[in-house]
Amino acid sequence: MLRRIATIFVVILLLPVFVSAQEHTVLRPDGKIYKHKGDLKNLEIMSAKQLKSEIKESHVQNISAVVYSPNGTIDTLKIPTDTWTTNFGFFGNDWFMQWFEAPADLDLLQVGFSVFDNPDAIEVSVKIVSVNWTKDQLMNAAVLNRGYYEATGNGFNDISAFMDNPDITGGWTSLDEEAEPFGADIFSDGGVGFPVDPIGNSGINTYQWVDLSVGGVLPFPQLSQGDIFGIAIRNTGLVMDEGRIGFYAGAGFGIPAWKFYTNGRLDPGVDVGWWSRTFSWDYVAIVDLTGDRAPFINSFTSIPSGPDLGPFTVDANITDDNPGDPPNAGVASAILQWSDDGGTTWNDETMANTSGDDYTGDIPVQTPNVTIEYRIVATD
């Protein structure tokens, strides 16, 4: 039987007896953190610290940052932060795309987006696309002009964003020598996308939802564990560089999103097409998990700074659920691993199941001036 494994990784630094630890959130792909040094005052990127007006509650739904069902199953995919301090704009025929990886086999029920402002009341269209690049490629994507699809005569510099768009007249033109990043539409209305009137000033963690059962799409779009999909939203304005809509965004989360610049990013009419950015867009997906997934390490001990050399007790709360086969759910083992040579070799300490979903293990006494890394590996 295939065993699924979840890993949490942290580091202890013992410099004359200095200790620190960092926790990684399992909802997001684990990767490098990027620092943003751009200008937040230009027309594309603005500060998003204040809201000016109320919203129509009937058009939005407020959810928390992470939503769980009673047995611990993740049912909302979201970048784990409440810090969306940027009002990032796009203009006529531009696209935003935020990607996610399916943590298990799932049905994709709804997607949501958070709007900062829409002064010209421009409509958007929403679709779900498959993504060809691997998670490592996406996580490490630098700010770079990637390419576009040919769309001769479409009135928008003869370029288009996706292979199933109705204005396509040719194939992918790569500007970075990389393979085509996107695949076919998973959900769209004839390639155009589902139309939505975005309401501005919605507030952080407040979303407008697109029900993916609309348009006769039954059952819901189905994805397999490890599939990468993108929530793609288009500004349907008819004039390039006009009709700005602002979305909540942020930099430094380590999950680079993408923007399609119909008229170019820095050089109008020249550096057109898709750009990978260090920013992420505040998009979410509500899913119904139908398959098995790795155990979920809900929490674990973060060892504080101090003069203590150990031993260090690490407690963890670990759950496992098989949405497609609940009777076979459960954690088979939990191992606390620690390394004093930069991860070249690891020492295993079996964690004891103290009660219910709680586990505990010890890192033995250490010597000063050594760097200790530790991680938890749980197997279902």
Side-chain angles (χ1 to χ4, degrees):
M1 178 180 176
L2 180 64
R3 298 188 305 169
R4 303 190 186 278
I5 297 174
T7 303
I8 287 287
F9 178 83
V10 289
V11 176
I12 308 175
L13 293 176
L14 294 178
L15 299 171
V17 226
F18 172 78
V19 183
S20 68
Q22 180 177 356
E23 178 177 348
H24 293 267
T25 305
V26 297
L27 266 180
R28 52 160 274 178
D30 182 26
K32 187 176 180 181
I33 299 298
Y34 293 88
K35 294 183 179 180
H36 171 64
K37 298 181 180 179
D39 180 6
L40 294 180
K41 296 181 180 179
N42 61 38
L43 188 59
E44 180 185 42
I45 305 170
M46 301 179 181
S47 174
K49 293 182 179 179
Q50 295 182 353
L51 299 176
K52 296 180 179 180
S53 64
E54 296 181 353
I55 57 175
K56 297 179 180 178
E57 295 295 338
S58 61
H59 291 273
V60 297
Q61 177 182 351
N62 197 5
I63 66 169
S64 59
V66 180
V67 179
Y68 300 94
S69 64
N71 63 358
T73 301
I74 301 171
D75 60 17
T76 300
L77 303 182
K78 183 185 189 297
I79 296 173
T81 182
D82 294 327
T83 308
W84 300 100
T85 58
T86 302
N87 172 7
F88 207 111
F90 70 155
F91 305 85
N93 208 53
D94 290 348
W95 289 79
F96 281 154
M97 192 281 292
Q98 178 66 62
W99 60 273
F100 294 88
E101 181 184 30
D105 296 349
L106 57 81
D107 292 340
L108 192 55
L109 307 182
Q110 292 180 312
V111 294
F113 56 89
S114 183
V115 183
F116 185 86
D117 55 16
N118 183 15
D120 296 327
I122 302 294
E123 189 177 79
V124 300
S125 62
V126 181
K127 69 158 109 181
I128 311 300
V129 299
S130 57
V131 179
N132 296 333
W133 278 20
T134 66
K135 181 173 65 175
D136 286 343
Q137 285 178 296
L138 294 164
M139 293 290 290
N140 294 290
V143 177
L144 195 63
N145 195 186
R146 301 294 181 173
Y148 53 82
Y149 291 92
E150 298 176 9
T152 303
N154 72 345
F156 293 105
N157 283 320
D158 299 329
I159 64 171
S160 196
F162 296 105
M163 63 185 300
D164 287 338
N165 285 359
D167 57 349
I168 290 296
T169 60
W172 173 256
T173 298
S174 176
L175 301 176
D176 62 357
E177 300 183 353
E178 294 284 353
E180 183 177 1
F182 308 115
D185 290 353
I186 295 173
F187 171 90
S188 67
D189 185 4
V192 177
F194 187 77
V196 180
D197 292 321
I199 302 171
N201 297 319
S202 57
I204 295 174
N205 288 330
T206 305
Y207 301 97
Q208 290 180 246
W209 297 100
V210 176
D211 184 345
L212 300 186
S213 68
V214 299
V217 179
L218 292 173
F220 291 98
Q222 297 176 331
L223 299 173
S224 299
Q225 182 181 37
D227 285 349
I228 299 177
F229 66 95
I231 301 174
I233 300 181
R234 170 179 171 253
N235 183 320
T236 62
L238 300 179
V239 181
M240 296 183 293
D241 297 331
E242 294 187 13
R244 184 188 190 280
I245 304 175
F247 282 81
Y248 277 96
F253 305 138
I255 309 176
W258 292 54
K259 179 180 176 181
F260 183 80
Y261 292 83
T262 297
N263 201 34
R265 175 176 171 238
L266 302 173
D267 192 356
V270 178
D271 55 355
V272 299
W274 281 109
W275 283 74
S276 49
R277 301 300 310 264
T278 57
F279 285 89
S280 303
W281 321 133
D282 187 12
Y283 296 169
V284 297
I286 294 180
V287 302
D288 183 12
L289 297 178
T290 59
D292 192 10
R293 67 184 178 107
F296 190 73
I297 303 173
N298 302 292
S299 63
F300 66 96
T301 302
S302 177
I303 301 174
S305 300
D308 189 7
L309 289 176
F312 303 107
T313 298
V314 177
D315 298 319
N317 182 270
I318 306 172
T319 55
D320 178 69
D321 59 342
N322 293 3
D325 188 16
N328 287 321
V331 177
S333 65
I335 306 295
L336 173 62
Q337 298 183 328
W338 61 273
S339 172
D340 58 8
D341 58 8
T344 301
T345 59
W346 293 91
N347 302 281
D348 289 359
E349 298 288 339
T350 299
M351 302 185 76
N353 183 199
T354 55
S355 66
D357 299 322
D358 295 328
Y359 294 78
T360 188
D362 291 322
I363 300 173
V365 174
Q366 303 295 319
T367 59
N369 300 307
V370 63
T371 298
I372 299 296
E373 299 174 331
Y374 69 97
R375 65 190 185 188
I376 298 170
V377 180
T379 305
D380 73 1

